Amino acid sequence: MVDVPLGSTGVVAAPDVEDVELYHPHSWVTKYVFSQDAKIIAIQYSFVALSVGLIALVLSWLMRLQLGFPGVFSFIDANAYYQFITMHGMMMVVYVLTALFLGGFGNYLIPLMIGARDMVFPYVNMLSFWIYLLAVLILVASFFVPGGPTGAGWTLYPPQAITTGTPGGQEWGIILMLVSLMVFIIGFTMGGLNYVVTVLQARARGMTLMRMPLTVWGIFTASFMALLAFPALFVGAVMMLFDRTLGTSFFMPAMVEMGQPLDRNGGSPLLFQHLFWFFGHPEVYIVALPAFGIVSDLISTHARRNIFGYRMMVWALLAIGALSFIVWAHHMYVSGMNPYFGFFFATTTLIIAVPTAIKVYNWILTLWRGDIHLTVPMLFALAFIVTFVNGGLTGLFLGNVVVDVPLSDTMFVVAHFHMVMGVAPILVIFGAIYHWYPKVTGRMLNDGLGKLHFWVTFLGAYAIFFPMHYLGLIGIPRRYHDIADMAFVPPSAHTLNAFITIVALIVGAAQLVFVFNLFWSLRYGRVAGGNPWRATTLEWQTPETPPPHGNWGKDLPVVYRWAYDYSVPGADQDFLPQNQPGLTRAIPEPGHG
């Protein structure tokens, strides 16, 4: 490390853009309901997304009751089971995880972390939330229409998604699902453009791109990816809606149904799979990249160490974002493809593991010899690393064609997918809420309840999904409503299914402890102060906590250093805020950030 006097590289440049005049609300309604303040919009996004998550949790309970105790609950018939699967999957992937990471954390953290007063398009930001809420209401409405919601599976593969025999296929279920997705994508496009333009145009003086916290980099990259990936799902939804309502044949081949030929021909079901997974695999990283960024900030803050290899971490984020667009067909090995294509997609799948592994190594090296504080946010961050590595290792299995084909329709895929795309990002969401709740509310969450919530959630998640790998390896199929009478299923599988169901009920109930903690601490939590974690990033340096409309009072902050000046030799305290001038700053040697 070399100490360089701050300012030796030049004076902080004058602002390129003059400070903007904010919209000021004139009533309670325009302040808290139709709000144009990104922080209020973030809370609205988060509240709706967490509410949808609780619905999805109940649906997963119902599925597990059927799998663990088949035939006991008569109201869970085959149609209901497939409807629960479909709605649980789509709700969690799109309406919970995407909305929370981008709409929730993106709205709250981007302006604060880059030193802006608000998003650059506040009115459009407000519209994006209300369109998201409309999409959620359309989706939930499908529970109340004749025939119920669609039971096509969360991937909505045609032709079965829109034919007789599939729940909701010839009724309103599939129509409402497709319309809801289209509305969601319209709303997200408004939000995503806002996030990208705000990061590029509204940064405070001195906040260069390479001084931004990795949380902002993760959300920024994911938003850019989503703007490129969601249109594929949008056109796929439009085309399937036309197939269902207008009788077109984009995805409908010549078919015979119940002995009668359908008046369709020439469509390609594989075309929809390509469109869906061209969105679907980037979607994994649209959720993962904000999680990567948040975990980087949690680890650095709670280990009191500068992030190891900052530039490498940024470039790894960008590399993952780019590579995620050329791996989609590894979801389609079982649909049949030229072996050369299989080789290409297997290779790109293994290559994308390289920048991901770089991030894991850098997290571990950040922790190395750090002053680690095992706070609740840190526990969730460490649990994420372990879980993402475990889930990623099983992904290496499934990325290879010869291994994936026999495992593809088994519970092994369910276990892998939930470790990577379910448990891991949800651990980050919890860690982030425990970390930033004091900034949002001015009060700390209860530490004892937080640790109880963590350990039940973490250990319970492994008790649920580790045994599923075994079930998959012995050939237990996924998507089956009832496996009780299958001759090849050993007794151990039935015992394990019952065990998994009981644990899932316990882990689900533990989330009520978290919900209670959120509301109880709002009134009775310990007063946090402005910077309870002694963090360096700008959101902890606001004049008031919670930050008021406009964030920064009269003057915007000026940034003098990167986001990770922890434990700097010779400094008076073990952190140097980004907006603190006039001290020597430790400049990491090349390769160390």
Side-chain angles (χ1 to χ4, degrees), residues 16-87:
D16 294 328
V17 182
E18 291 185 6
D19 201 0
V20 295
E21 179 64 29
L22 290 176
Y23 169 83
H24 295 287
H26 301 291
S27 68
W28 186 90
V29 171
T30 53
K31 185 174 182 180
Y32 293 110
V33 182
F34 297 104
S35 175
Q36 296 186 32
D37 186 332
K39 299 183 293 300
I40 303 294
I41 294 170
I43 294 168
Q44 291 173 323
Y45 261 112
S46 301
F47 179 78
V48 174
L50 289 173
S51 300
V52 176
L54 290 175
I55 297 172
L57 172 67
V58 172
L59 293 176
S60 71
W61 275 350
L62 295 172
M63 292 186 302
R64 285 308 323 173
L65 287 173
Q66 171 59 27
L67 290 174
F69 308 102
V72 174
F73 301 92
S74 58
F75 67 93
I76 311 176
D77 59 9
N79 280 358
Y81 178 79
Y82 293 122
Q83 289 169 325
F84 298 159
I85 279 185
T86 305
M87 298 298 281

Side-chain angles (χ1 to χ4, degrees), residues 75-156:
F75 67 93
I76 311 176
D77 59 9
N79 280 358
Y81 178 79
Y82 293 122
Q83 289 169 325
F84 298 159
I85 279 185
T86 305
M87 298 298 281
H88 167 80
M90 192 62 82
M91 281 180 169
M92 286 302 302
V93 171
V94 175
Y95 298 84
V96 176
L97 294 175
T98 306
L100 255 180
F101 276 116
L102 301 183
F105 295 123
N107 265 307
Y108 202 90
L109 296 177
I110 286 175
L112 285 168
M113 282 187 153
I114 66 172
R117 294 207 179 278
D118 208 323
M119 290 291 179
V120 290
F121 306 122
Y123 184 77
V124 174
N125 205 22
M126 178 194 74
L127 285 181
S128 75
F129 164 72
W130 287 101
I131 293 174
Y132 162 64
L133 179 60
L134 175 63
V136 168
L137 293 176
I138 294 170
L139 185 73
V140 173
S142 65
F143 284 106
F144 305 101
V145 296
T150 176
W154 82 275
T155 53
L156 306 179

Side-chain angles (χ1 to χ4, degrees), residues 451-521:
K451 287 181 176 174
L452 172 67
H453 173 227
F454 166 75
W455 285 112
V456 176
T457 301
F458 178 57
L459 297 177
Y462 275 73
I464 292 168
F465 293 110
F466 254 32
M468 275 190 203
H469 292 86
Y470 165 75
L471 292 176
L473 289 170
I474 64 173
I476 304 301
R478 61 187 171 125
R479 305 195 186 104
Y480 274 53
H481 162 253
D482 189 349
I483 60 169
D485 298 325
M486 293 183 177
F488 71 90
V489 177
S492 62
H494 298 301
T495 306
L496 265 184
N497 262 329
F499 169 77
I500 291 170
T501 296
I502 293 168
V503 176
L505 293 170
I506 294 170
V507 172
Q511 307 320 306
L512 300 178
V513 174
F514 169 71
V515 173
F516 170 79
N517 198 357
L518 282 181
F519 289 102
W520 184 87
S521 298

Side-chain angles (χ1 to χ4, degrees), residues 425-443:
I426 287 172
L427 289 171
V428 177
I429 286 169
F430 286 139
I433 291 173
Y434 281 99
H435 182 74
W436 278 294
Y437 185 88
K439 177 54 58 175
V440 178
T441 66
R443 294 184 180 272

Side-chain angles (χ1 to χ4, degrees), residues 198-366:
T198 300
V199 170
L200 294 177
Q201 295 293 327
R203 300 189 307 278
R205 293 170 61 195
M207 179 63 81
T208 62
L209 288 174
M210 284 299 170
R211 283 178 173 173
M212 292 197 310
L214 287 166
T215 294
V216 178
W217 269 111
I219 295 170
F220 170 72
T221 309
S223 299
F224 196 83
M225 290 167 57
L227 291 172
L228 299 177
F230 271 116
L233 179 63
F234 185 87
V235 297
V238 171
M239 292 158 77
M240 195 195 294
L241 190 63
F242 285 173
D243 279 5
R244 166 65 183 81
T245 58
L246 303 181
T248 57
S249 294
F250 291 111
F251 307 130
M252 296 293 287
M255 288 177 60
V256 174
E257 184 178 80
M258 304 294 289
Q260 299 296 319
L262 296 181
D263 187 22
R264 307 285 186 94
N265 63 75
S268 171
L270 277 180
L271 173 59
F272 180 84
Q273 293 188 33
H274 281 291
L275 290 170
F276 183 89
W277 289 116
F278 187 80
F279 145 79
H281 199 81
E283 167 66 11
V284 172
Y285 291 102
I286 289 165
V287 169
L289 293 189
F292 291 166
I294 289 169
V295 161
S296 301
D297 284 357
L298 296 189
I299 285 174
S300 182
T301 300
H302 296 275
R304 317 310 294 166
R305 283 267 289 166
N306 63 286
I307 200 78
F308 183 91
Y310 172 85
R311 287 178 181 271
M312 196 188 307
M313 295 287 263
V314 171
W315 287 111
L317 278 172
L318 298 174
I320 292 168
L323 288 168
S324 70
F325 283 95
I326 54 171
V327 297
W328 79 89
H330 68 209
H331 296 272
M332 298 170 56
Y333 290 149
V334 291
S335 29
M337 65 176 68
N338 187 298
Y340 289 108
F341 281 115
F343 172 77
F344 172 81
F345 285 107
T347 303
T348 55
T349 302
L350 297 178
I351 290 172
I352 204 171
V354 174
T356 311
I358 287 172
K359 300 194 78 62
V360 174
Y361 296 143
N362 284 9
W363 289 327
I364 293 170
L365 289 167
T366 300

Side-chain angles (χ1 to χ4, degrees), residues 113 215 293-307 363 366-382 385 428 430-439 444-445 447 451 526 531-537 539-540 563-567 574-575:
M113 282 187 153
T215 294
I294 289 169
V295 161
S296 301
D297 284 357
L298 296 189
I299 285 174
S300 182
T301 300
H302 296 275
R304 317 310 294 166
R305 283 267 289 166
N306 63 286
I307 200 78
W363 289 327
T366 300
L367 292 167
W368 177 250
R369 302 184 73 177
D371 178 16
I372 297 173
H373 294 61
L374 290 177
T375 58
V376 176
M378 186 61 150
L379 290 172
F380 277 107
L382 296 175
I385 296 175
V428 177
F430 286 139
I433 291 173
Y434 281 99
H435 182 74
W436 278 294
Y437 185 88
K439 177 54 58 175
M444 304 292 288
L445 284 163
D447 198 58
K451 287 181 176 174
R526 179 166 54 86
N531 189 1
W533 308 119
R534 296 178 299 130
T536 61
T537 45
E539 79 274 19
W540 298 105
Y564 302 101
D565 267 344
Y566 290 103
S567 304
D574 71 345
F575 71 104

Side-chain angles (χ1 to χ4, degrees), residues 363-425:
W363 289 327
I364 293 170
L365 289 167
T366 300
L367 292 167
W368 177 250
R369 302 184 73 177
D371 178 16
I372 297 173
H373 294 61
L374 290 177
T375 58
V376 176
M378 186 61 150
L379 290 172
F380 277 107
L382 296 175
F384 164 81
I385 296 175
V386 174
T387 304
F388 196 82
V389 169
N390 281 329
L393 289 174
T394 56
L396 295 177
F397 286 74
L398 297 173
N400 287 281
V401 185
V402 291
V403 182
D404 178 76
V405 170
L407 287 178
S408 183
D409 280 323
T410 70
M411 295 298 282
F412 191 91
V413 171
V414 178
H416 158 74
F417 184 77
H418 280 79
M419 290 293 276
V420 171
M421 190 70 180
V423 179

